[in-house]
Short mmCIF file of all heavy atoms in Angstrom, two decimals:
data_model
loop_
_atom_site.label_atom_id
_atom_site.label_comp_id
_atom_site.label_asym_id
_atom_site.label_seq_id
_atom_site.Cartn_x
_atom_site.Cartn_y
_atom_site.Cartn_z
N MET A 1 98.14 -40.72 107.55
CA MET A 1 96.89 -39.94 107.25
C MET A 1 95.64 -40.84 107.48
O MET A 1 95.64 -42.02 107.14
CB MET A 1 96.81 -39.44 105.85
CG MET A 1 97.88 -38.34 105.62
SD MET A 1 98.02 -37.77 103.95
CE MET A 1 96.38 -37.20 103.60
N THR A 2 94.66 -40.28 108.02
CA THR A 2 93.46 -40.96 108.22
C THR A 2 92.56 -41.00 106.95
O THR A 2 92.96 -40.31 105.99
CB THR A 2 92.60 -40.33 109.41
OG1 THR A 2 92.22 -39.01 108.96
CG2 THR A 2 93.36 -40.26 110.60
N ARG A 3 91.52 -41.75 106.96
CA ARG A 3 90.72 -41.86 105.83
C ARG A 3 90.01 -40.46 105.37
O ARG A 3 89.99 -40.13 104.28
CB ARG A 3 89.57 -42.98 105.96
CG ARG A 3 88.77 -43.21 104.90
CD ARG A 3 87.71 -44.19 105.14
NE ARG A 3 88.32 -45.42 105.54
CZ ARG A 3 88.41 -46.57 104.74
NH1 ARG A 3 88.00 -46.38 103.46
NH2 ARG A 3 88.90 -47.60 105.17
N ARG A 4 89.71 -39.77 106.45
CA ARG A 4 89.13 -38.45 106.16
C ARG A 4 90.09 -37.55 105.58
O ARG A 4 89.73 -36.78 104.59
CB ARG A 4 88.68 -37.82 107.53
CG ARG A 4 87.78 -36.53 107.39
CD ARG A 4 87.53 -36.01 108.71
NE ARG A 4 88.81 -35.44 109.14
CZ ARG A 4 88.96 -34.68 110.14
NH1 ARG A 4 87.94 -34.30 110.90
NH2 ARG A 4 90.19 -34.24 110.52
N ASP A 5 91.35 -37.57 105.89
CA ASP A 5 92.37 -36.74 105.37
C ASP A 5 92.60 -37.08 103.80
O ASP A 5 92.66 -36.21 103.06
CB ASP A 5 93.74 -36.91 106.07
CG ASP A 5 93.65 -36.31 107.42
OD1 ASP A 5 92.80 -35.49 107.72
OD2 ASP A 5 94.55 -36.82 108.29
N TRP A 6 92.52 -38.37 103.54
CA TRP A 6 92.58 -38.79 102.16
C TRP A 6 91.43 -38.32 101.28
O TRP A 6 91.58 -37.90 100.11
CB TRP A 6 92.73 -40.37 102.02
CG TRP A 6 94.13 -40.87 102.37
CD1 TRP A 6 94.43 -41.48 103.52
CD2 TRP A 6 95.28 -40.66 101.57
NE1 TRP A 6 95.84 -41.73 103.45
CE2 TRP A 6 96.32 -41.28 102.26
CE3 TRP A 6 95.55 -40.07 100.29
CZ2 TRP A 6 97.63 -41.36 101.75
CZ3 TRP A 6 96.85 -40.14 99.80
CH2 TRP A 6 97.90 -40.74 100.63
N TRP A 7 90.20 -38.35 101.81
CA TRP A 7 89.18 -37.82 101.14
C TRP A 7 89.18 -36.32 100.94
O TRP A 7 88.86 -35.91 99.84
CB TRP A 7 87.79 -38.10 101.99
CG TRP A 7 87.22 -39.51 101.71
CD1 TRP A 7 87.30 -40.60 102.50
CD2 TRP A 7 86.67 -39.91 100.51
NE1 TRP A 7 86.82 -41.60 101.86
CE2 TRP A 7 86.20 -41.24 100.70
CE3 TRP A 7 86.19 -39.24 99.31
CZ2 TRP A 7 85.56 -41.95 99.78
CZ3 TRP A 7 85.56 -39.98 98.40
CH2 TRP A 7 85.25 -41.38 98.57
N ILE A 8 89.58 -35.62 101.92
CA ILE A 8 89.82 -34.19 101.71
C ILE A 8 90.79 -33.81 100.65
O ILE A 8 90.57 -32.94 99.82
CB ILE A 8 90.09 -33.48 103.11
CG1 ILE A 8 88.96 -33.56 104.00
CG2 ILE A 8 90.61 -31.98 102.92
CD1 ILE A 8 89.24 -33.11 105.51
N ALA A 9 91.91 -34.55 100.73
CA ALA A 9 92.94 -34.24 99.77
C ALA A 9 92.43 -34.68 98.28
O ALA A 9 92.79 -34.08 97.34
CB ALA A 9 94.26 -35.20 100.07
N SER A 10 91.70 -35.74 98.12
CA SER A 10 91.17 -36.19 96.85
C SER A 10 90.26 -35.13 96.36
O SER A 10 90.15 -34.87 95.17
CB SER A 10 90.46 -37.48 97.01
OG SER A 10 91.38 -38.42 97.44
N LEU A 11 89.33 -34.57 97.25
CA LEU A 11 88.42 -33.55 96.83
C LEU A 11 89.11 -32.37 96.37
O LEU A 11 88.68 -31.68 95.37
CB LEU A 11 87.41 -33.30 97.91
CG LEU A 11 86.37 -34.40 98.24
CD1 LEU A 11 85.54 -34.01 99.48
CD2 LEU A 11 85.48 -34.64 97.04
N VAL A 12 90.16 -31.97 97.09
CA VAL A 12 90.90 -30.74 96.68
C VAL A 12 91.54 -30.94 95.32
O VAL A 12 91.50 -30.08 94.43
CB VAL A 12 91.98 -30.38 97.64
CG1 VAL A 12 92.93 -29.31 97.17
CG2 VAL A 12 91.26 -29.90 99.01
N ILE A 13 92.09 -32.15 95.04
CA ILE A 13 92.71 -32.41 93.78
C ILE A 13 91.72 -32.39 92.73
O ILE A 13 91.90 -31.87 91.63
CB ILE A 13 93.45 -33.74 93.82
CG1 ILE A 13 94.66 -33.65 94.72
CG2 ILE A 13 93.92 -34.24 92.50
CD1 ILE A 13 95.38 -34.91 95.09
N ALA A 14 90.58 -33.05 92.95
CA ALA A 14 89.48 -33.03 91.89
C ALA A 14 88.92 -31.73 91.61
O ALA A 14 88.75 -31.35 90.42
CB ALA A 14 88.32 -33.96 92.38
N PHE A 15 88.77 -30.89 92.64
CA PHE A 15 88.29 -29.46 92.41
C PHE A 15 89.40 -28.72 91.63
O PHE A 15 89.08 -27.92 90.78
CB PHE A 15 88.07 -28.85 93.82
CG PHE A 15 87.42 -27.52 93.65
CD1 PHE A 15 86.12 -27.28 93.19
CD2 PHE A 15 88.16 -26.42 93.95
CE1 PHE A 15 85.53 -26.06 93.02
CE2 PHE A 15 87.58 -25.07 93.85
CZ PHE A 15 86.33 -24.93 93.35
N GLY A 16 90.63 -28.90 91.90
CA GLY A 16 91.69 -28.13 91.22
C GLY A 16 91.74 -28.60 89.72
O GLY A 16 91.90 -27.81 88.79
N LEU A 17 91.50 -29.93 89.43
CA LEU A 17 91.57 -30.35 88.12
C LEU A 17 90.33 -29.80 87.37
O LEU A 17 90.37 -29.48 86.17
CB LEU A 17 91.44 -31.97 87.95
CG LEU A 17 92.76 -32.64 88.13
CD1 LEU A 17 92.58 -34.22 88.18
CD2 LEU A 17 93.68 -32.28 86.92
N HIS A 18 89.11 -29.80 88.06
CA HIS A 18 87.97 -29.15 87.41
C HIS A 18 88.17 -27.67 87.05
O HIS A 18 87.82 -27.29 85.92
CB HIS A 18 86.81 -29.34 88.35
CG HIS A 18 85.60 -28.65 87.99
ND1 HIS A 18 84.74 -29.04 86.86
CD2 HIS A 18 85.02 -27.44 88.32
CE1 HIS A 18 83.83 -28.15 86.67
NE2 HIS A 18 83.84 -27.21 87.66
N CYS A 19 88.71 -26.90 87.97
CA CYS A 19 88.98 -25.48 87.74
C CYS A 19 90.06 -25.36 86.54
O CYS A 19 89.89 -24.55 85.65
CB CYS A 19 89.61 -24.81 88.91
SG CYS A 19 88.41 -24.66 90.26
N LEU A 20 91.08 -26.27 86.46
CA LEU A 20 91.98 -26.28 85.40
C LEU A 20 91.37 -26.48 84.02
O LEU A 20 91.63 -25.71 83.10
CB LEU A 20 93.14 -27.19 85.61
CG LEU A 20 94.20 -27.30 84.64
CD1 LEU A 20 95.03 -25.99 84.62
CD2 LEU A 20 95.21 -28.49 84.99
N VAL A 21 90.47 -27.54 84.00
CA VAL A 21 89.80 -27.92 82.75
C VAL A 21 88.79 -26.79 82.40
O VAL A 21 88.73 -26.42 81.15
CB VAL A 21 89.10 -29.29 82.86
CG1 VAL A 21 88.18 -29.57 81.69
CG2 VAL A 21 90.11 -30.27 83.08
N MET A 22 88.05 -26.29 83.30
CA MET A 22 87.06 -25.28 82.96
C MET A 22 87.71 -23.92 82.45
O MET A 22 87.22 -23.32 81.50
CB MET A 22 86.23 -24.87 84.15
CG MET A 22 85.25 -25.89 84.54
SD MET A 22 84.15 -26.43 83.23
CE MET A 22 83.27 -24.94 82.98
N SER A 23 88.90 -23.62 82.94
CA SER A 23 89.62 -22.51 82.37
C SER A 23 90.09 -22.67 81.01
O SER A 23 90.16 -21.80 80.17
CB SER A 23 90.78 -22.09 83.30
OG SER A 23 91.81 -23.09 83.20
N GLY A 24 90.42 -23.94 80.64
CA GLY A 24 90.82 -24.27 79.31
C GLY A 24 89.56 -24.34 78.37
O GLY A 24 89.68 -24.15 77.17
N ILE A 25 88.42 -24.69 78.83
CA ILE A 25 87.24 -24.89 78.02
C ILE A 25 86.55 -23.53 77.74
O ILE A 25 85.84 -23.31 76.75
CB ILE A 25 86.21 -25.81 78.75
CG1 ILE A 25 86.81 -27.19 78.72
CG2 ILE A 25 84.91 -25.79 78.10
CD1 ILE A 25 86.94 -27.79 77.36
N ILE A 26 86.71 -22.52 78.67
CA ILE A 26 85.93 -21.27 78.52
C ILE A 26 86.25 -20.61 77.20
O ILE A 26 85.44 -19.99 76.52
CB ILE A 26 86.25 -20.35 79.74
CG1 ILE A 26 85.49 -20.84 81.03
CG2 ILE A 26 85.86 -18.95 79.42
CD1 ILE A 26 85.80 -20.14 82.27
N SER A 27 87.54 -20.72 76.78
CA SER A 27 87.90 -20.02 75.56
C SER A 27 87.47 -20.79 74.35
O SER A 27 87.25 -20.29 73.29
CB SER A 27 89.32 -19.74 75.50
OG SER A 27 90.00 -21.02 75.52
N ALA A 28 87.22 -22.05 74.53
CA ALA A 28 86.71 -22.93 73.35
C ALA A 28 85.23 -23.20 73.54
O ALA A 28 84.46 -22.55 74.37
CB ALA A 28 87.50 -24.24 73.42
N SER A 29 84.76 -24.21 72.83
CA SER A 29 83.33 -24.53 72.95
C SER A 29 83.07 -25.17 74.34
O SER A 29 84.01 -25.96 74.79
CB SER A 29 82.92 -25.58 71.81
OG SER A 29 83.67 -26.66 71.90
N ALA A 30 81.96 -24.92 74.91
CA ALA A 30 81.71 -25.37 76.28
C ALA A 30 80.84 -26.60 76.22
O ALA A 30 79.86 -26.69 76.99
CB ALA A 30 81.09 -24.32 77.01
N ASP A 31 81.01 -27.61 75.51
CA ASP A 31 80.25 -28.77 75.49
C ASP A 31 80.94 -29.95 76.16
O ASP A 31 82.09 -29.83 76.54
CB ASP A 31 79.87 -29.30 74.01
CG ASP A 31 81.10 -29.46 73.17
OD1 ASP A 31 82.22 -29.02 73.63
OD2 ASP A 31 80.99 -30.23 72.15
N VAL A 32 80.21 -30.95 76.60
CA VAL A 32 80.68 -32.05 77.52
C VAL A 32 81.80 -32.89 76.80
O VAL A 32 82.80 -33.13 77.43
CB VAL A 32 79.51 -32.93 77.94
CG1 VAL A 32 80.01 -34.15 78.58
CG2 VAL A 32 78.54 -32.14 78.68
N PRO A 33 81.71 -33.18 75.47
CA PRO A 33 82.80 -33.96 74.95
C PRO A 33 84.15 -33.26 74.93
O PRO A 33 85.19 -33.81 75.19
CB PRO A 33 82.38 -34.22 73.52
CG PRO A 33 80.91 -34.13 73.48
CD PRO A 33 80.55 -33.13 74.63
N SER A 34 84.17 -31.95 74.79
CA SER A 34 85.51 -31.25 74.76
C SER A 34 85.96 -31.10 76.23
O SER A 34 87.10 -31.16 76.41
CB SER A 34 85.29 -29.84 74.09
OG SER A 34 84.36 -29.05 74.80
N TYR A 35 85.08 -30.99 77.18
CA TYR A 35 85.42 -30.96 78.58
C TYR A 35 86.11 -32.29 78.93
O TYR A 35 87.16 -32.32 79.54
CB TYR A 35 84.26 -30.74 79.48
CG TYR A 35 84.47 -30.93 81.05
CD1 TYR A 35 85.03 -29.80 81.67
CD2 TYR A 35 84.33 -32.02 81.64
CE1 TYR A 35 85.18 -29.91 83.02
CE2 TYR A 35 84.55 -32.13 82.98
CZ TYR A 35 84.99 -31.01 83.71
OH TYR A 35 85.29 -31.12 84.98
N LEU A 36 85.43 -33.43 78.57
CA LEU A 36 86.02 -34.75 78.93
C LEU A 36 87.38 -34.98 78.19
O LEU A 36 88.20 -35.67 78.72
CB LEU A 36 84.99 -35.80 78.61
CG LEU A 36 83.74 -35.81 79.52
CD1 LEU A 36 82.70 -36.78 79.02
CD2 LEU A 36 84.03 -36.02 80.98
N ARG A 37 87.52 -34.54 76.97
CA ARG A 37 88.71 -34.74 76.14
C ARG A 37 89.82 -34.00 76.76
O ARG A 37 90.90 -34.52 76.90
CB ARG A 37 88.45 -34.31 74.72
CG ARG A 37 89.60 -34.62 73.81
CD ARG A 37 89.39 -34.23 72.32
NE ARG A 37 88.02 -34.08 71.93
CZ ARG A 37 87.42 -32.86 71.60
NH1 ARG A 37 87.99 -31.84 71.65
NH2 ARG A 37 86.09 -32.89 71.29
N LEU A 38 89.52 -32.71 77.19
CA LEU A 38 90.59 -31.95 77.85
C LEU A 38 91.01 -32.56 79.26
O LEU A 38 92.14 -32.60 79.65
CB LEU A 38 90.22 -30.45 77.98
CG LEU A 38 91.32 -29.57 78.45
CD1 LEU A 38 92.43 -29.55 77.60
CD2 LEU A 38 90.65 -28.15 78.74
N LEU A 39 89.95 -33.02 79.93
CA LEU A 39 90.29 -33.70 81.32
C LEU A 39 91.09 -34.83 81.08
O LEU A 39 92.09 -35.15 81.81
CB LEU A 39 88.91 -34.07 81.96
CG LEU A 39 89.02 -34.73 83.28
CD1 LEU A 39 89.65 -33.84 84.34
CD2 LEU A 39 87.67 -35.13 83.80
N PHE A 40 90.78 -35.81 80.06
CA PHE A 40 91.54 -36.90 79.81
C PHE A 40 93.00 -36.52 79.44
O PHE A 40 93.95 -37.15 79.99
CB PHE A 40 90.95 -37.71 78.68
CG PHE A 40 91.69 -38.94 78.26
CD1 PHE A 40 91.74 -40.05 79.11
CD2 PHE A 40 92.49 -38.87 77.14
CE1 PHE A 40 92.59 -41.18 78.81
CE2 PHE A 40 93.34 -40.00 76.74
CZ PHE A 40 93.28 -41.11 77.51
N GLN A 41 93.18 -35.51 78.60
CA GLN A 41 94.50 -35.09 78.22
C GLN A 41 95.33 -34.63 79.37
O GLN A 41 96.49 -34.97 79.52
CB GLN A 41 94.45 -34.06 77.10
CG GLN A 41 93.92 -34.40 75.81
CD GLN A 41 93.82 -33.41 74.85
OE1 GLN A 41 93.85 -32.22 75.22
NE2 GLN A 41 93.62 -33.74 73.58
N ILE A 42 94.74 -33.88 80.23
CA ILE A 42 95.49 -33.38 81.47
C ILE A 42 95.82 -34.41 82.38
O ILE A 42 97.00 -34.57 82.88
CB ILE A 42 94.58 -32.27 82.15
CG1 ILE A 42 94.47 -31.01 81.34
CG2 ILE A 42 95.19 -32.00 83.52
CD1 ILE A 42 93.46 -29.95 81.86
N CYS A 43 94.85 -35.32 82.64
CA CYS A 43 95.13 -36.49 83.50
C CYS A 43 96.24 -37.43 82.89
O CYS A 43 97.08 -37.90 83.74
CB CYS A 43 93.92 -37.28 83.81
SG CYS A 43 92.75 -36.42 84.82
N PHE A 44 96.26 -37.57 81.59
CA PHE A 44 97.10 -38.40 80.87
C PHE A 44 98.60 -37.76 81.02
O PHE A 44 99.56 -38.48 81.41
CB PHE A 44 96.85 -38.55 79.43
CG PHE A 44 97.78 -39.44 78.62
CD1 PHE A 44 97.76 -40.77 78.81
CD2 PHE A 44 98.60 -38.75 77.78
CE1 PHE A 44 98.71 -41.55 78.04
CE2 PHE A 44 99.60 -39.53 77.02
CZ PHE A 44 99.65 -40.93 77.11
N TRP A 45 98.75 -36.47 80.81
CA TRP A 45 100.02 -35.88 80.90
C TRP A 45 100.48 -35.69 82.27
O TRP A 45 101.76 -35.59 82.52
CB TRP A 45 100.03 -34.55 80.14
CG TRP A 45 99.98 -34.77 78.61
CD1 TRP A 45 98.99 -34.45 77.78
CD2 TRP A 45 100.97 -35.31 77.86
NE1 TRP A 45 99.26 -34.73 76.55
CE2 TRP A 45 100.60 -35.33 76.51
CE3 TRP A 45 102.27 -35.83 78.09
CZ2 TRP A 45 101.33 -35.83 75.52
CZ3 TRP A 45 103.03 -36.27 77.04
CH2 TRP A 45 102.58 -36.31 75.66
N MET A 46 99.62 -35.68 83.19
CA MET A 46 100.02 -35.66 84.66
C MET A 46 100.42 -37.10 85.19
O MET A 46 101.27 -37.21 86.00
CB MET A 46 98.92 -35.10 85.47
CG MET A 46 98.77 -33.60 85.39
SD MET A 46 97.39 -32.97 86.34
CE MET A 46 97.78 -33.49 87.98
N GLY A 47 99.84 -38.04 84.53
CA GLY A 47 100.02 -39.50 84.96
C GLY A 47 101.36 -40.05 84.47
O GLY A 47 101.90 -40.97 85.09
N ILE A 48 101.82 -39.57 83.29
CA ILE A 48 103.01 -40.15 82.74
C ILE A 48 104.26 -39.91 83.68
O ILE A 48 104.98 -40.88 84.03
CB ILE A 48 103.26 -39.58 81.37
CG1 ILE A 48 102.29 -40.22 80.31
CG2 ILE A 48 104.77 -39.93 80.85
CD1 ILE A 48 102.35 -39.64 78.90
N PRO A 49 104.48 -38.74 84.23
CA PRO A 49 105.60 -38.51 85.04
C PRO A 49 105.38 -39.24 86.38
O PRO A 49 106.40 -39.79 87.00
CB PRO A 49 105.61 -37.05 85.39
CG PRO A 49 104.94 -36.42 84.26
CD PRO A 49 103.88 -37.37 83.82
N LEU A 50 104.20 -39.38 86.88
CA LEU A 50 104.00 -40.20 88.09
C LEU A 50 104.31 -41.63 87.83
O LEU A 50 104.92 -42.27 88.58
CB LEU A 50 102.53 -40.08 88.57
CG LEU A 50 102.17 -38.63 89.11
CD1 LEU A 50 100.67 -38.63 89.30
CD2 LEU A 50 102.96 -38.36 90.33
N LEU A 51 103.82 -42.19 86.69
CA LEU A 51 104.13 -43.60 86.41
C LEU A 51 105.66 -43.89 86.28
O LEU A 51 106.16 -44.82 86.80
CB LEU A 51 103.34 -44.04 85.09
CG LEU A 51 103.52 -45.40 84.62
CD1 LEU A 51 102.92 -46.35 85.81
CD2 LEU A 51 102.80 -45.66 83.38
N VAL A 52 106.36 -42.97 85.54
CA VAL A 52 107.75 -43.14 85.42
C VAL A 52 108.48 -43.08 86.67
O VAL A 52 109.42 -43.85 87.09
CB VAL A 52 108.40 -42.07 84.41
CG1 VAL A 52 109.90 -42.01 84.41
CG2 VAL A 52 107.83 -42.27 82.98
N GLY A 53 108.10 -42.09 87.58
CA GLY A 53 108.67 -41.98 88.91
C GLY A 53 108.43 -43.20 89.77
O GLY A 53 109.34 -43.74 90.40
N ALA A 54 107.24 -43.76 89.59
CA ALA A 54 106.90 -44.98 90.43
C ALA A 54 107.76 -46.20 89.97
O ALA A 54 108.34 -46.93 90.74
CB ALA A 54 105.46 -45.28 90.32
N MET A 55 107.93 -46.24 88.62
CA MET A 55 108.70 -47.32 88.03
C MET A 55 110.22 -47.20 88.49
O MET A 55 110.87 -48.21 88.81
CB MET A 55 108.64 -47.40 86.50
CG MET A 55 107.34 -47.82 86.01
SD MET A 55 107.05 -47.76 84.24
CE MET A 55 108.39 -48.55 83.60
N ILE A 56 110.74 -45.94 88.46
CA ILE A 56 112.09 -45.76 88.96
C ILE A 56 112.27 -46.16 90.38
O ILE A 56 113.23 -46.81 90.81
CB ILE A 56 112.60 -44.37 88.59
CG1 ILE A 56 112.65 -44.09 87.15
CG2 ILE A 56 113.89 -43.97 89.31
CD1 ILE A 56 112.91 -42.65 86.73
N TYR A 57 111.28 -45.78 91.19
CA TYR A 57 111.31 -46.09 92.61
C TYR A 57 111.33 -47.60 92.82
O TYR A 57 112.07 -48.20 93.67
CB TYR A 57 110.23 -45.40 93.40
CG TYR A 57 110.08 -45.84 94.77
CD1 TYR A 57 110.89 -45.27 95.71
CD2 TYR A 57 109.13 -46.78 95.23
CE1 TYR A 57 110.82 -45.61 97.10
CE2 TYR A 57 108.99 -47.08 96.52
CZ TYR A 57 109.91 -46.49 97.45
OH TYR A 57 109.82 -46.93 98.73
N ILE A 58 110.46 -48.34 92.15
CA ILE A 58 110.42 -49.80 92.29
C ILE A 58 111.69 -50.46 91.80
O ILE A 58 112.18 -51.33 92.58
CB ILE A 58 109.20 -50.31 91.38
CG1 ILE A 58 107.93 -49.84 92.12
CG2 ILE A 58 109.22 -51.80 91.36
CD1 ILE A 58 106.62 -50.17 91.31
N ILE A 59 112.22 -50.01 90.72
CA ILE A 59 113.53 -50.57 90.24
C ILE A 59 114.63 -50.27 91.28
O ILE A 59 115.45 -51.20 91.68
CB ILE A 59 113.92 -50.00 88.87
CG1 ILE A 59 112.91 -50.48 87.85
CG2 ILE A 59 115.31 -50.28 88.53
CD1 ILE A 59 113.03 -49.80 86.49
N ILE A 60 114.71 -49.05 91.83
CA ILE A 60 115.79 -48.77 92.73
C ILE A 60 115.66 -49.57 94.11
O ILE A 60 116.54 -50.11 94.60
CB ILE A 60 115.90 -47.29 93.05
CG1 ILE A 60 116.38 -46.55 91.86
CG2 ILE A 60 116.66 -46.90 94.27
CD1 ILE A 60 116.37 -45.01 91.98
N SER A 61 114.35 -49.67 94.52
CA SER A 61 114.20 -50.45 95.75
C SER A 61 114.42 -51.99 95.54
O SER A 61 114.87 -52.64 96.45
CB SER A 61 112.69 -50.25 96.26
OG SER A 61 111.76 -50.86 95.44
N PHE A 62 114.11 -52.44 94.32
CA PHE A 62 114.45 -53.84 94.03
C PHE A 62 115.91 -54.18 93.99
O PHE A 62 116.42 -55.10 94.59
CB PHE A 62 113.80 -54.26 92.68
CG PHE A 62 114.05 -55.60 92.24
CD1 PHE A 62 113.29 -56.68 92.96
CD2 PHE A 62 114.97 -55.89 91.28
CE1 PHE A 62 113.67 -57.99 92.46
CE2 PHE A 62 115.12 -57.23 90.90
CZ PHE A 62 114.54 -58.26 91.50
N ILE A 63 116.65 -53.14 93.37
CA ILE A 63 118.09 -53.34 93.30
C ILE A 63 118.76 -53.25 94.71
O ILE A 63 119.63 -54.03 95.03
CB ILE A 63 118.72 -52.28 92.32
CG1 ILE A 63 118.28 -52.63 90.91
CG2 ILE A 63 120.19 -52.20 92.53
CD1 ILE A 63 118.63 -51.50 89.83
N SER A 64 118.32 -52.34 95.54
CA SER A 64 118.80 -52.10 96.88
C SER A 64 118.49 -53.35 97.76
O SER A 64 119.31 -53.71 98.59
CB SER A 64 118.33 -50.89 97.47
OG SER A 64 116.99 -50.87 97.73
N LYS A 65 117.37 -53.95 97.61
CA LYS A 65 117.02 -55.14 98.42
C LYS A 65 117.91 -56.32 97.89
O LYS A 65 118.33 -57.09 98.68
CB LYS A 65 115.50 -55.51 98.14
CG LYS A 65 114.66 -54.62 98.95
CD LYS A 65 113.21 -55.05 98.72
CE LYS A 65 112.30 -54.11 99.46
NZ LYS A 65 110.90 -54.48 99.29
N ARG A 66 118.15 -56.41 96.55
CA ARG A 66 118.98 -57.52 96.08
C ARG A 66 120.37 -57.36 96.52
O ARG A 66 121.08 -58.29 96.98
CB ARG A 66 118.94 -57.44 94.52
CG ARG A 66 118.36 -58.74 94.04
CD ARG A 66 118.30 -58.70 92.54
NE ARG A 66 118.66 -59.95 92.17
CZ ARG A 66 118.96 -60.27 90.88
NH1 ARG A 66 118.95 -59.46 89.95
NH2 ARG A 66 119.31 -61.46 90.67
N LYS A 67 120.98 -56.12 96.58
CA LYS A 67 122.33 -55.89 97.03
C LYS A 67 122.43 -56.25 98.60
O LYS A 67 123.44 -56.73 99.04
CB LYS A 67 122.76 -54.48 96.78
CG LYS A 67 123.13 -54.24 95.26
CD LYS A 67 123.63 -52.87 95.16
CE LYS A 67 124.06 -52.65 93.74
NZ LYS A 67 124.58 -51.33 93.46
N GLY A 68 121.40 -55.88 99.26
CA GLY A 68 121.37 -56.14 100.72
C GLY A 68 121.28 -57.58 101.05
O GLY A 68 121.83 -58.11 102.04
N ARG A 69 120.69 -58.42 100.21
CA ARG A 69 120.58 -59.86 100.38
C ARG A 69 121.89 -60.53 100.09
O ARG A 69 122.15 -61.57 100.80
CB ARG A 69 119.51 -60.37 99.63
CG ARG A 69 118.82 -61.59 100.08
CD ARG A 69 117.71 -62.16 99.28
NE ARG A 69 116.89 -61.15 98.58
CZ ARG A 69 116.25 -61.33 97.47
NH1 ARG A 69 116.20 -62.50 96.86
NH2 ARG A 69 115.45 -60.44 96.93
N LYS A 70 122.67 -60.10 99.11
CA LYS A 70 123.94 -60.72 98.82
C LYS A 70 125.08 -60.52 99.80
O LYS A 70 125.88 -61.35 100.04
CB LYS A 70 124.40 -60.33 97.41
CG LYS A 70 123.49 -60.80 96.32
CD LYS A 70 124.03 -60.35 95.03
CE LYS A 70 123.27 -60.93 93.82
NZ LYS A 70 123.79 -60.52 92.44
N THR A 71 125.05 -59.42 100.47
CA THR A 71 126.10 -59.14 101.43
C THR A 71 125.79 -59.62 102.78
O THR A 71 124.76 -60.08 103.24
CB THR A 71 126.50 -57.66 101.45
OG1 THR A 71 125.37 -56.87 101.68
CG2 THR A 71 127.13 -57.19 100.26
#
């Protein structure tokens, strides 16, 4: 992907997160601290599975490289 494609994908993700947070804030109080708190919570809960998946991928690739080196 080119740099422009990454920028477009990042903007779409950011816009989607904004819409998700705004839909959660509309029913509650609409002040900035509650917006930022909900944004942090959403990013945190989305980041945990990504981090776990990345760690599993790194461990599997490390193990497969080690096995390939021994044989």
Side-chain angles (χ1 to χ4, degrees):
M1 287 176 61
T2 64
R3 185 180 300 259
R4 189 186 72 167
D5 294 338
W6 282 107
W7 274 104
I8 291 171
S10 299
L11 288 174
V12 168
I13 290 171
F15 186 71
L17 278 174
H18 173 71
C19 290
L20 180 66
V21 171
M22 286 306 293
S23 69
I25 290 295
I26 285 176
S27 62
S29 62
D31 56 345
V32 174
S34 62
Y35 175 85
L36 293 175
R37 189 176 336 110
L38 186 60
L39 179 65
F40 176 74
Q41 288 175 350
I42 289 172
C43 290
F44 179 74
W45 287 111
M46 287 175 59
I48 288 175
L50 291 174
L51 183 63
V52 170
M55 288 174 57
I56 291 171
Y57 174 77
I58 290 170
I59 290 170
I60 289 173
S61 67
F62 179 73
I63 290 172
S64 66
K65 284 181 183 178
R66 245 178 137 193
K67 284 184 179 180
R69 209 180 320 157
K70 286 184 178 181
T71 50

